[in-house]
């Protein structure tokens, strides 16, 4: 794991060695307590976390709740975090601002919402035709990625942690079949972020519509297509009732990371043990969220297909043109900004070598065992 | 995450509310400490962990070290764990016995080493043609798998936690090309566990040889083929110098989990906070190990290929016959033992539905982006 900067809490709190036996029955066989139990002073904290997501997205919003529960449990209730859904404290897309300004100590969000502030923050979440879930974790935890992203977020007075992943997303709901670039051109699609930037280069009329308003827009034909997340989340919004073609993959989000943001001033004031707790709780929330998605998506997919939805892969023609446009965009950004370029080069090296490795054992196993593709 | 049984530490340790201000500078903006800092009594523990792996396997043995470091950090040094490599305290395959008997409080091992005690323990690690890394985590954390495995390990006085994963392994090193079942028959191969049971049904003469003795056996032709882990670990043992055909995938281990074992008596004596620390440290070690493997395998693969190794996928003929033999074996075990059957049925339902889900977005993205397979 990435090394975290820690303050020496020992200098701030009194640790007194009390007489042995004050805590009975602790330890098991062969345990060797040295000097008896420790008496330590720990601050009580009540922190607030602003999530970018509604409570109804129980897997994603649930990631913040898992994080909060783990922090509370690891501190035995002394360090409490309450997670607020989007809109209760601050708007869903106002999380970075709120953490930066100290309105809240913590946020749980997707960094690519904030590319307007710095395009490089997208690498913290997902890039079109980029890293899948495992590759993203490999880059962040052991490929230098987290250190690079920390440098970016330092400008926002934020310390960031990976804390959730949705897995590769679906490509979305299309009212009609779309097989060629010609058919793609002129299509009106609800898609935000980098995926939208790429698709607009291919002639798609892209629109950003909040989650709750996508269904009526798709039903009334205001848009011809809309992407959201994947089977479990999409099913709740009811898209299957108004569009029958469910395309994959969502190449713009092959393994998006959700992030916990900590206000740096608040972070610097934490004792070392609580900093450590934040790190581990975020890591646990990270593996927990993808495991939860992988547990609930299969059943949702089955219900959708049983209900008459047709699964369709994007054609290689559309995939290839999209990939070309995506790397054209990234290369333009890299040429324009040295900070972006530095991150892009680290990320791209990991991407190339990791794709090569995943093309062997993982991909051969998946092709044979899962089929499809 | 799975709910853990916890003891109420509050009943065992005195928590005194001290005057406010005893700990200065804690908390950040908008923090609202209630009642000032807490003074708590915590036991000091020094526990021993026996690993099944040598120190040289730095990714796998390193998982135990990451686990130990996180426990120490989360407890601010009060709960210390020392990880011992295989053979220092107990033999590598003696970890379950040592934890069961309380010789050590903790183990870090692969449960499928102990199928001689109960064939069902293999589900805790990996099954031939079974779950990949993400699917295994989904089953364990959110598919009922961990609860089922806990029931099995209760018979051994052990509480088990997922604490590492290697990712899909390679199929191993072959002195000659092997494309058909005819060519496979009569081959002498170093392979342990369930993979060996399956391959012996296809006429392979299987041998179990410890890691350090595989290289000379392969060099001298005592065996025609040998599997170990994947590029990063295999490279260290030097197989590339004596066998040039590197096959994939290792269908017998598509995403093996390493486990932390805790002696139940020791576990029951832990305060709730320390139990919580063990859970989070194991989860962090779980995501950390696979991330580390995914970060180091690509470079090792490149070095091996640059050095003249030829990568070869197993033929569909061999894959299909192996899968048939694997499920024949599992079905026999399920028919013979109700406990095994209960776990097999849970696992197989997750496997089927999860394979279907992974055949869409994940597989289409992988096929297009990684190629190969």
């Amino acid at each position: 794991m990435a090394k975290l900067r820690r303050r020496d809490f020992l200098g701030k709190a009194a640790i007194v060695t009390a007489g042995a036996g004050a805590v009975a029955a602790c330890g098991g066989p062969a345990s060797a307590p040295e000097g008896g139990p420790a008496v330590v002073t720990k601050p009580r904290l009540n922190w607030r976390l602003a999530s970018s997501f509604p409570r109804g997205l129980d897997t994603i919003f649930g990631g913040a709740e898992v994080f909060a529960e783990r922090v509370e449990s690891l501190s035995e209730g002394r360090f409490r975090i309450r997670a607020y859904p989007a809109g209760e404290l601050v708007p869903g897309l106002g999380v970075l601002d709120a953490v930066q300004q100290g309105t809240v100590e913590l946020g749980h969000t997707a960094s690519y919402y904030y590319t307007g502030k710095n395009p490089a923050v997208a690498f913290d979440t997902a890039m079109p035709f980029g890293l899948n879930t495992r590759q993203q974790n490999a880059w962040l935890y052991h490929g230098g990625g987290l250190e690079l992203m920390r440098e970016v977020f330092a400008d926002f007075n934020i310390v960031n942690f990976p804390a959730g992943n949705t897995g590769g997303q679906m490509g979305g709901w299309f009212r009609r079949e779309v097989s060629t670039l010609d058919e793609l051109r002129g299509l009106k699609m609800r898609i935000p972020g980098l995926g939208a930037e790429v698709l607009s280069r291919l002639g798609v009329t892209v629109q950003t519509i909040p989650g709750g308003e996508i269904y009526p827009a798709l039903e009334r034909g205001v848009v011809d297509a809309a992407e959201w997340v994947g089977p479990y989340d999409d099913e709740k919004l009811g898209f299957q009732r108004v569009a029958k073609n469910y395309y994959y993959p969502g190449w713009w989000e092959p393994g998006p990371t959700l992030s916990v943001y900590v206000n740096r001033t608040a972070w610097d004031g934490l004792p070392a043990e609580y900093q450590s707790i934040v790190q581990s709780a975020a890591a646990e929330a990270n593996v927990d969220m993808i495991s939860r998605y992988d547990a609930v998506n299969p059943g949702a997919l089955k219900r959708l297909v049983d209900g008459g939805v047709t699964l369709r892969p994007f054609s290689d023609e559309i995939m290839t043109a999209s990939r070309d446009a995506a790397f054209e965009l990234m290369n333009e950004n890299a040429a324009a900004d040295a900070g972006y370029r530095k991150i892009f080069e680290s990320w791209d090296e990991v991407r190339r070598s990791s794709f090569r490795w995943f093309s062997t054992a993982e991909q051969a196993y998946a092709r044979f065992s899962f089929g499809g593709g």
Side-chain angles (χ1 to χ4, degrees), chain A:
Chain A
M1 307 295 278
K3 290 268 188 301
L4 299 175
R5 199 161 72 87
R6 292 199 186 109
R7 298 188 56 179
D8 179 12
F9 181 55
L10 298 184
K12 291 194 288 180
I15 298 201
V16 184
T17 299
V23 176
C26 285
S31 64
E34 27 174 51
V39 179
V40 293
T41 304
K42 294 291 170 193
R44 296 181 189 280
L45 299 178
N46 282 286
W47 278 17
R48 299 191 304 172
L49 179 151
S51 167
S52 288
F53 309 100
R55 201 177 287 281
L57 284 177
D58 62 330
T59 38
I60 305 193
F61 180 74
E65 292 184 309
V66 167
F67 170 75
E69 186 278 324
R70 296 311 303 149
V71 169
E72 181 164 338
S73 177
L74 288 164
S75 66
E76 220 177 356
R78 290 179 293 278
F79 186 4
R80 290 200 168 142
I81 292 167
R82 181 163 168 195
Y84 293 85
E88 283 201 13
L89 296 178
V90 298
L93 302 183
V95 167
L96 186 148
D97 283 341
V99 177
Q100 180 177 8
Q101 293 156 14
T103 311
V104 291
E105 294 89 354
L106 294 159
H108 189 241
T109 187
S111 297
Y112 62 9
Y113 292 150
Y114 313 105
T115 49
K117 295 174 184 292
N118 182 343
V121 294
F123 289 99
D124 195 46
T125 313
M127 301 299 284
F129 293 97
L131 309 177
N132 72 7
T133 298
R134 274 173 49 183
Q135 294 163 341
Q136 177 78 358
N137 280 333
W139 180 61
L140 287 171
Y141 288 134
H142 287 289
L146 190 53
E147 289 80 355
L148 289 167
M149 296 318 305
R150 290 260 166 91
E151 290 175 20
V152 172
F153 283 101
D155 291 344
F156 301 103
N157 198 38
I158 281 171
V159 184
N160 56 299
F161 295 83
N165 198 296
T166 69
Q169 300 196 357
M170 291 291 278
W173 300 85
F174 289 67
R175 287 161 58 98
R176 290 183 307 278
E177 278 191 67
V178 175
S179 305
T180 66
L181 286 169
D182 266 353
E183 290 169 344
L184 196 65
R185 230 166 269 134
L187 203 80
K188 290 171 295 192
M189 181 170 179
R190 184 273 173 190
I191 178 171
L194 285 169
E197 288 190 54
V198 172
L199 283 175
S200 70
R201 291 180 181 218
L202 302 181
V204 174
T205 303
V206 298
Q207 305 196 16
T208 302
I209 302 174
E213 298 166 30
I214 305 174
Y215 178 91
L218 195 59
E219 185 182 29
R220 298 198 316 271
V222 174
V223 293
D224 307 303
E227 67 85 50
W228 183 236
V229 182
Y232 182 74
D233 294 324
D234 291 8
E235 184 187 32
K236 291 184 199 167
L237 296 190
F239 301 132
Q240 65 278 12
R241 292 195 294 272
V242 290
K244 295 296 181 189
N245 301 286
Y246 197 15
Y247 274 88
Y248 61 88
W251 45 257
W252 44 93
E253 314 197 52
T257 295
L258 288 303
S259 300
V260 156
Y261 291 172
V262 191
N263 174 279
R264 176 165 284 281
T265 314
W267 173 260
D268 288 343
L270 282 182
E273 186 183 6
Y274 287 7
Q275 290 185 345
S276 192
I277 283 173
V278 167
Q279 174 189 322
S280 286
E284 187 167 354
N286 195 13
V287 65
D288 185 73
M289 188 191 295
I290 184 61
S291 302
R292 194 161 165 203
Y293 264 113
D294 287 338
V296 297
N297 270 324
L301 184 76
K302 182 175 190 312
R303 288 190 296 274
L304 292 172
V305 171
D306 288 350
V309 165
T310 302
L311 300 173
R312 298 188 190 280
F314 284 128
S315 66
D316 274 12
E317 181 186 343
I318 288 175
M319 290 289 282
T320 302
S322 301
R323 182 169 59 189
D324 290 349
F327 279 93
E328 184 184 81
L329 175 66
M330 286 184 253
N331 282 311
E332 286 170 15
N333 283 338
D337 182 86
Y340 187 102
R341 186 163 62 249
K342 180 178 163 189
I343 298 170
F344 174 71
E345 284 171 357
S346 160
W347 172 90
D348 200 43
E349 189 183 324
V350 165
R351 184 186 66 82
R352 287 167 194 269
S353 65
S354 192
F355 280 16
R356 177 77 187 91
W357 161 234
F358 272 72
S359 77
T360 62
E362 291 291 341
Q363 178 59 1
Y365 186 75
R367 180 196 62 76
F368 180 80
S369 296
F370 311 157

PDB file of all heavy atoms in Angstrom, chain A residues 96-123:
ATOM      1  N   LEU A  96     -16.247  17.980  -3.851  1.00  0.00           N
ATOM      2  CA  LEU A  96     -14.852  18.426  -3.804  1.00  0.00           C
ATOM      3  C   LEU A  96     -14.756  19.813  -3.156  1.00  0.00           C
ATOM      4  O   LEU A  96     -13.951  20.030  -2.244  1.00  0.00           O
ATOM      5  CB  LEU A  96     -14.230  18.431  -5.207  1.00  0.00           C
ATOM      6  CG  LEU A  96     -12.723  18.748  -5.259  1.00  0.00           C
ATOM      7  CD1 LEU A  96     -12.046  18.008  -6.423  1.00  0.00           C
ATOM      8  CD2 LEU A  96     -12.454  20.250  -5.416  1.00  0.00           C
ATOM      9  N   ASP A  97     -15.608  20.738  -3.606  1.00  0.00           N
ATOM     10  CA  ASP A  97     -15.596  22.087  -3.019  1.00  0.00           C
ATOM     11  C   ASP A  97     -15.835  22.045  -1.507  1.00  0.00           C
ATOM     12  O   ASP A  97     -15.149  22.736  -0.748  1.00  0.00           O
ATOM     13  CB  ASP A  97     -16.688  22.958  -3.670  1.00  0.00           C
ATOM     14  CG  ASP A  97     -16.284  23.445  -5.060  1.00  0.00           C
ATOM     15  OD1 ASP A  97     -15.072  23.421  -5.371  1.00  0.00           O
ATOM     16  OD2 ASP A  97     -17.177  23.834  -5.828  1.00  0.00           O
ATOM     17  N   ALA A  98     -16.790  21.246  -1.102  1.00  0.00           N
ATOM     18  CA  ALA A  98     -17.161  21.204   0.321  1.00  0.00           C
ATOM     19  C   ALA A  98     -16.014  20.672   1.174  1.00  0.00           C
ATOM     20  O   ALA A  98     -15.766  21.171   2.272  1.00  0.00           O
ATOM     21  CB  ALA A  98     -18.416  20.341   0.504  1.00  0.00           C
ATOM     22  N   VAL A  99     -15.297  19.658   0.659  1.00  0.00           N
ATOM     23  CA  VAL A  99     -14.169  19.111   1.423  1.00  0.00           C
ATOM     24  C   VAL A  99     -13.006  20.095   1.385  1.00  0.00           C
ATOM     25  O   VAL A  99     -12.337  20.339   2.398  1.00  0.00           O
ATOM     26  CB  VAL A  99     -13.749  17.729   0.888  1.00  0.00           C
ATOM     27  CG1 VAL A  99     -12.535  17.211   1.643  1.00  0.00           C
ATOM     28  CG2 VAL A  99     -14.907  16.734   0.994  1.00  0.00           C
ATOM     29  N   GLN A 100     -12.770  20.680   0.212  1.00  0.00           N
ATOM     30  CA  GLN A 100     -11.681  21.643   0.088  1.00  0.00           C
ATOM     31  C   GLN A 100     -11.848  22.792   1.084  1.00  0.00           C
ATOM     32  O   GLN A 100     -10.888  23.213   1.736  1.00  0.00           O
ATOM     33  CB  GLN A 100     -11.636  22.184  -1.347  1.00  0.00           C
ATOM     34  CG  GLN A 100     -10.533  23.214  -1.578  1.00  0.00           C
ATOM     35  CD  GLN A 100     -10.459  23.668  -3.030  1.00  0.00           C
ATOM     36  OE1 GLN A 100     -11.316  23.335  -3.840  1.00  0.00           O
ATOM     37  NE2 GLN A 100      -9.419  24.421  -3.359  1.00  0.00           N
ATOM     38  N   GLN A 101     -13.089  23.272   1.187  1.00  0.00           N
ATOM     39  CA  GLN A 101     -13.347  24.441   2.037  1.00  0.00           C
ATOM     40  C   GLN A 101     -13.548  24.082   3.501  1.00  0.00           C
ATOM     41  O   GLN A 101     -13.654  24.967   4.346  1.00  0.00           O
ATOM     42  CB  GLN A 101     -14.586  25.184   1.505  1.00  0.00           C
ATOM     43  CG  GLN A 101     -14.345  25.819   0.135  1.00  0.00           C
ATOM     44  CD  GLN A 101     -15.631  26.032  -0.654  1.00  0.00           C
ATOM     45  OE1 GLN A 101     -16.720  25.946  -0.091  1.00  0.00           O
ATOM     46  NE2 GLN A 101     -15.509  26.301  -1.950  1.00  0.00           N
ATOM     47  N   GLY A 102     -13.646  22.775   3.791  1.00  0.00           N
ATOM     48  CA  GLY A 102     -13.829  22.377   5.178  1.00  0.00           C
ATOM     49  C   GLY A 102     -15.273  22.458   5.659  1.00  0.00           C
ATOM     50  O   GLY A 102     -15.537  22.389   6.858  1.00  0.00           O
ATOM     51  N   THR A 103     -16.212  22.608   4.719  1.00  0.00           N
ATOM     52  CA  THR A 103     -17.628  22.548   5.094  1.00  0.00           C
ATOM     53  C   THR A 103     -17.939  21.189   5.710  1.00  0.00           C
ATOM     54  O   THR A 103     -18.729  21.060   6.643  1.00  0.00           O
ATOM     55  CB  THR A 103     -18.516  22.743   3.838  1.00  0.00           C
ATOM     56  OG1 THR A 103     -18.046  23.886   3.129  1.00  0.00           O
ATOM     57  CG2 THR A 103     -19.970  22.899   4.219  1.00  0.00           C
ATOM     58  N   VAL A 104     -17.331  20.172   5.164  1.00  0.00           N
ATOM     59  CA  VAL A 104     -17.360  18.821   5.728  1.00  0.00           C
ATOM     60  C   VAL A 104     -15.921  18.326   5.784  1.00  0.00           C
ATOM     61  O   VAL A 104     -15.061  18.791   5.029  1.00  0.00           O
ATOM     62  CB  VAL A 104     -18.203  17.842   4.874  1.00  0.00           C
ATOM     63  CG1 VAL A 104     -19.689  18.177   4.950  1.00  0.00           C
ATOM     64  CG2 VAL A 104     -17.719  17.843   3.425  1.00  0.00           C
ATOM     65  N   GLU A 105     -15.658  17.374   6.678  1.00  0.00           N
ATOM     66  CA  GLU A 105     -14.304  16.818   6.763  1.00  0.00           C
ATOM     67  C   GLU A 105     -14.041  15.811   5.653  1.00  0.00           C
ATOM     68  O   GLU A 105     -12.892  15.619   5.244  1.00  0.00           O
ATOM     69  CB  GLU A 105     -14.087  16.115   8.110  1.00  0.00           C
ATOM     70  CG  GLU A 105     -14.112  17.036   9.315  1.00  0.00           C
ATOM     71  CD  GLU A 105     -15.512  17.200   9.877  1.00  0.00           C
ATOM     72  OE1 GLU A 105     -16.472  16.697   9.261  1.00  0.00           O
ATOM     73  OE2 GLU A 105     -15.629  17.843  10.934  1.00  0.00           O
ATOM     74  N   LEU A 106     -15.129  15.137   5.202  1.00  0.00           N
ATOM     75  CA  LEU A 106     -14.966  13.994   4.308  1.00  0.00           C
ATOM     76  C   LEU A 106     -15.941  14.042   3.143  1.00  0.00           C
ATOM     77  O   LEU A 106     -17.067  14.535   3.279  1.00  0.00           O
ATOM     78  CB  LEU A 106     -15.243  12.686   5.073  1.00  0.00           C
ATOM     79  CG  LEU A 106     -14.288  12.295   6.195  1.00  0.00           C
ATOM     80  CD1 LEU A 106     -14.972  11.323   7.152  1.00  0.00           C
ATOM     81  CD2 LEU A 106     -13.023  11.663   5.610  1.00  0.00           C
ATOM     82  N   GLY A 107     -15.505  13.478   2.035  1.00  0.00           N
ATOM     83  CA  GLY A 107     -16.384  13.273   0.897  1.00  0.00           C
ATOM     84  C   GLY A 107     -16.230  11.875   0.345  1.00  0.00           C
ATOM     85  O   GLY A 107     -15.206  11.213   0.579  1.00  0.00           O
ATOM     86  N   HIS A 108     -17.253  11.403  -0.352  1.00  0.00           N
ATOM     87  CA  HIS A 108     -17.169  10.133  -1.089  1.00  0.00           C
ATOM     88  C   HIS A 108     -17.764  10.409  -2.452  1.00  0.00           C
ATOM     89  O   HIS A 108     -18.951  10.749  -2.569  1.00  0.00           O
ATOM     90  CB  HIS A 108     -17.944   9.027  -0.360  1.00  0.00           C
ATOM     91  CG  HIS A 108     -17.726   7.654  -0.928  1.00  0.00           C
ATOM     92  ND1 HIS A 108     -18.741   6.886  -1.451  1.00  0.00           N
ATOM     93  CD2 HIS A 108     -16.589   6.909  -1.043  1.00  0.00           C
ATOM     94  CE1 HIS A 108     -18.244   5.717  -1.860  1.00  0.00           C
ATOM     95  NE2 HIS A 108     -16.941   5.704  -1.618  1.00  0.00           N
ATOM     96  N   THR A 109     -16.925  10.287  -3.481  1.00  0.00           N
ATOM     97  CA  THR A 109     -17.315  10.815  -4.781  1.00  0.00           C
ATOM     98  C   THR A 109     -16.505  10.132  -5.875  1.00  0.00           C
ATOM     99  O   THR A 109     -15.691   9.250  -5.601  1.00  0.00           O
ATOM    100  CB  THR A 109     -17.086  12.354  -4.781  1.00  0.00           C
ATOM    101  OG1 THR A 109     -17.613  12.922  -5.982  1.00  0.00           O
ATOM    102  CG2 THR A 109     -15.615  12.702  -4.656  1.00  0.00           C
ATOM    103  N   ALA A 110     -16.767  10.524  -7.108  1.00  0.00           N
ATOM    104  CA  ALA A 110     -15.967  10.071  -8.245  1.00  0.00           C
ATOM    105  C   ALA A 110     -15.194  11.280  -8.756  1.00  0.00           C
ATOM    106  O   ALA A 110     -15.786  12.284  -9.153  1.00  0.00           O
ATOM    107  CB  ALA A 110     -16.865   9.511  -9.343  1.00  0.00           C
ATOM    108  N   SER A 111     -13.875  11.155  -8.755  1.00  0.00           N
ATOM    109  CA  SER A 111     -13.052  12.333  -9.055  1.00  0.00           C
ATOM    110  C   SER A 111     -13.303  12.888 -10.450  1.00  0.00           C
ATOM    111  O   SER A 111     -13.096  14.081 -10.684  1.00  0.00           O
ATOM    112  CB  SER A 111     -11.570  11.970  -8.894  1.00  0.00           C
ATOM    113  OG  SER A 111     -11.291  11.615  -7.562  1.00  0.00           O
ATOM    114  N   TYR A 112     -13.747  12.052 -11.392  1.00  0.00           N
ATOM    115  CA  TYR A 112     -13.900  12.559 -12.762  1.00  0.00           C
ATOM    116  C   TYR A 112     -15.048  13.553 -12.895  1.00  0.00           C
ATOM    117  O   TYR A 112     -15.240  14.120 -13.962  1.00  0.00           O
ATOM    118  CB  TYR A 112     -13.974  11.441 -13.791  1.00  0.00           C
ATOM    119  CG  TYR A 112     -15.113  10.455 -13.719  1.00  0.00           C
ATOM    120  CD1 TYR A 112     -16.198  10.604 -12.885  1.00  0.00           C
ATOM    121  CD2 TYR A 112     -15.088   9.331 -14.557  1.00  0.00           C
ATOM    122  CE1 TYR A 112     -17.210   9.682 -12.850  1.00  0.00           C
ATOM    123  CE2 TYR A 112     -16.103   8.395 -14.536  1.00  0.00           C
ATOM    124  CZ  TYR A 112     -17.165   8.579 -13.677  1.00  0.00           C
ATOM    125  OH  TYR A 112     -18.176   7.659 -13.654  1.00  0.00           O
ATOM    126  N   TYR A 113     -15.823  13.746 -11.830  1.00  0.00           N
ATOM    127  CA  TYR A 113     -16.822  14.814 -11.877  1.00  0.00           C
ATOM    128  C   TYR A 113     -16.156  16.190 -11.930  1.00  0.00           C
ATOM    129  O   TYR A 113     -16.812  17.185 -12.242  1.00  0.00           O
ATOM    130  CB  TYR A 113     -17.701  14.775 -10.630  1.00  0.00           C
ATOM    131  CG  TYR A 113     -18.609  13.569 -10.523  1.00  0.00           C
ATOM    132  CD1 TYR A 113     -18.972  13.072  -9.274  1.00  0.00           C
ATOM    133  CD2 TYR A 113     -19.111  12.936 -11.655  1.00  0.00           C
ATOM    134  CE1 TYR A 113     -19.814  11.972  -9.158  1.00  0.00           C
ATOM    135  CE2 TYR A 113     -19.948  11.834 -11.545  1.00  0.00           C
ATOM    136  CZ  TYR A 113     -20.300  11.353 -10.297  1.00  0.00           C
ATOM    137  OH  TYR A 113     -21.127  10.264 -10.179  1.00  0.00           O
ATOM    138  N   TYR A 114     -14.888  16.257 -11.595  1.00  0.00           N
ATOM    139  CA  TYR A 114     -14.248  17.558 -11.382  1.00  0.00           C
ATOM    140  C   TYR A 114     -13.185  17.879 -12.434  1.00  0.00           C
ATOM    141  O   TYR A 114     -12.250  18.627 -12.171  1.00  0.00           O
ATOM    142  CB  TYR A 114     -13.659  17.616  -9.962  1.00  0.00           C
ATOM    143  CG  TYR A 114     -14.669  17.128  -8.942  1.00  0.00           C
ATOM    144  CD1 TYR A 114     -14.539  15.875  -8.351  1.00  0.00           C
ATOM    145  CD2 TYR A 114     -15.794  17.897  -8.639  1.00  0.00           C
ATOM    146  CE1 TYR A 114     -15.495  15.399  -7.452  1.00  0.00           C
ATOM    147  CE2 TYR A 114     -16.758  17.428  -7.746  1.00  0.00           C
ATOM    148  CZ  TYR A 114     -16.602  16.183  -7.163  1.00  0.00           C
ATOM    149  OH  TYR A 114     -17.555  15.716  -6.291  1.00  0.00           O
ATOM    150  N   THR A 115     -13.330  17.295 -13.624  1.00  0.00           N
ATOM    151  CA  THR A 115     -12.351  17.561 -14.678  1.00  0.00           C
ATOM    152  C   THR A 115     -12.359  19.027 -15.097  1.00  0.00           C
ATOM    153  O   THR A 115     -11.389  19.497 -15.681  1.00  0.00           O
ATOM    154  CB  THR A 115     -12.608  16.674 -15.918  1.00  0.00           C
ATOM    155  OG1 THR A 115     -13.990  16.759 -16.263  1.00  0.00           O
ATOM    156  CG2 THR A 115     -12.232  15.231 -15.635  1.00  0.00           C
ATOM    157  N   GLY A 116     -13.440  19.749 -14.793  1.00  0.00           N
ATOM    158  CA  GLY A 116     -13.474  21.184 -15.082  1.00  0.00           C
ATOM    159  C   GLY A 116     -12.432  21.944 -14.267  1.00  0.00           C
ATOM    160  O   GLY A 116     -11.945  22.995 -14.687  1.00  0.00           O
ATOM    161  N   LYS A 117     -12.067  21.407 -13.118  1.00  0.00           N
ATOM    162  CA  LYS A 117     -11.042  22.041 -12.279  1.00  0.00           C
ATOM    163  C   LYS A 117      -9.642  21.649 -12.715  1.00  0.00           C
ATOM    164  O   LYS A 117      -8.697  22.436 -12.634  1.00  0.00           O
ATOM    165  CB  LYS A 117     -11.244  21.647 -10.814  1.00  0.00           C
ATOM    166  CG  LYS A 117     -12.554  22.158 -10.229  1.00  0.00           C
ATOM    167  CD  LYS A 117     -12.775  21.620  -8.825  1.00  0.00           C
ATOM    168  CE  LYS A 117     -14.126  22.036  -8.269  1.00  0.00           C
ATOM    169  NZ  LYS A 117     -14.234  23.499  -7.993  1.00  0.00           N
ATOM    170  N   ASN A 118      -9.498  20.387 -13.124  1.00  0.00           N
ATOM    171  CA  ASN A 118      -8.221  19.869 -13.616  1.00  0.00           C
ATOM    172  C   ASN A 118      -8.499  18.557 -14.344  1.00  0.00           C
ATOM    173  O   ASN A 118      -8.921  17.582 -13.709  1.00  0.00           O
ATOM    174  CB  ASN A 118      -7.254  19.638 -12.434  1.00  0.00           C
ATOM    175  CG  ASN A 118      -5.893  19.140 -12.893  1.00  0.00           C
ATOM    176  OD1 ASN A 118      -5.733  18.660 -14.031  1.00  0.00           O
ATOM    177  ND2 ASN A 118      -4.899  19.230 -12.021  1.00  0.00           N
ATOM    178  N   PRO A 119      -8.271  18.510 -15.648  1.00  0.00           N
ATOM    179  CA  PRO A 119      -8.611  17.290 -16.400  1.00  0.00           C
ATOM    180  C   PRO A 119      -7.934  16.032 -15.850  1.00  0.00           C
ATOM    181  O   PRO A 119      -8.441  14.927 -16.035  1.00  0.00           O
ATOM    182  CB  PRO A 119      -8.106  17.602 -17.817  1.00  0.00           C
ATOM    183  CG  PRO A 119      -8.076  19.082 -17.901  1.00  0.00           C
ATOM    184  CD  PRO A 119      -7.731  19.570 -16.511  1.00  0.00           C
ATOM    185  N   ALA A 120      -6.809  16.206 -15.155  1.00  0.00           N
ATOM    186  CA  ALA A 120      -6.048  15.046 -14.690  1.00  0.00           C
ATOM    187  C   ALA A 120      -6.745  14.275 -13.581  1.00  0.00           C
ATOM    188  O   ALA A 120      -6.405  13.115 -13.316  1.00  0.00           O
ATOM    189  CB  ALA A 120      -4.658  15.477 -14.218  1.00  0.00           C
ATOM    190  N   VAL A 121      -7.731  14.889 -12.908  1.00  0.00           N
ATOM    191  CA  VAL A 121      -8.392  14.159 -11.819  1.00  0.00           C
ATOM    192  C   VAL A 121      -9.121  12.918 -12.339  1.00  0.00           C
ATOM    193  O   VAL A 121      -9.397  11.996 -11.573  1.00  0.00           O
ATOM    194  CB  VAL A 121      -9.389  15.037 -11.015  1.00  0.00           C
ATOM    195  CG1 VAL A 121      -8.662  16.144 -10.271  1.00  0.00           C
ATOM    196  CG2 VAL A 121     -10.482  15.602 -11.925  1.00  0.00           C
ATOM    197  N   ALA A 122      -9.405  12.886 -13.640  1.00  0.00           N
ATOM    198  CA  ALA A 122     -10.123  11.727 -14.186  1.00  0.00           C
ATOM    199  C   ALA A 122      -9.351  10.429 -13.996  1.00  0.00           C
ATOM    200  O   ALA A 122      -9.947   9.356 -13.854  1.00  0.00           O
ATOM    201  CB  ALA A 122     -10.427  11.942 -15.672  1.00  0.00           C
ATOM    202  N   PHE A 123      -8.016  10.509 -13.993  1.00  0.00           N
ATOM    203  CA  PHE A 123      -7.218   9.292 -13.816  1.00  0.00           C
ATOM    204  C   PHE A 123      -7.496   8.626 -12.470  1.00  0.00           C
ATOM    205  O   PHE A 123      -7.255   7.442 -12.297  1.00  0.00           O
ATOM    206  CB  PHE A 123      -5.720   9.604 -13.934  1.00  0.00           C
ATOM    207  CG  PHE A 123      -5.277   9.926 -15.329  1.00  0.00           C
ATOM    208  CD1 PHE A 123      -5.122  11.243 -15.739  1.00  0.00           C
ATOM    209  CD2 PHE A 123      -5.014   8.908 -16.244  1.00  0.00           C
ATOM    210  CE1 PHE A 123      -4.707  11.552 -17.033  1.00  0.00           C
ATOM    211  CE2 PHE A 123      -4.602   9.206 -17.538  1.00  0.00           C
ATOM    212  CZ  PHE A 123      -4.442  10.527 -17.938  1.00  0.00           C
TER     213      PHE A 123
END
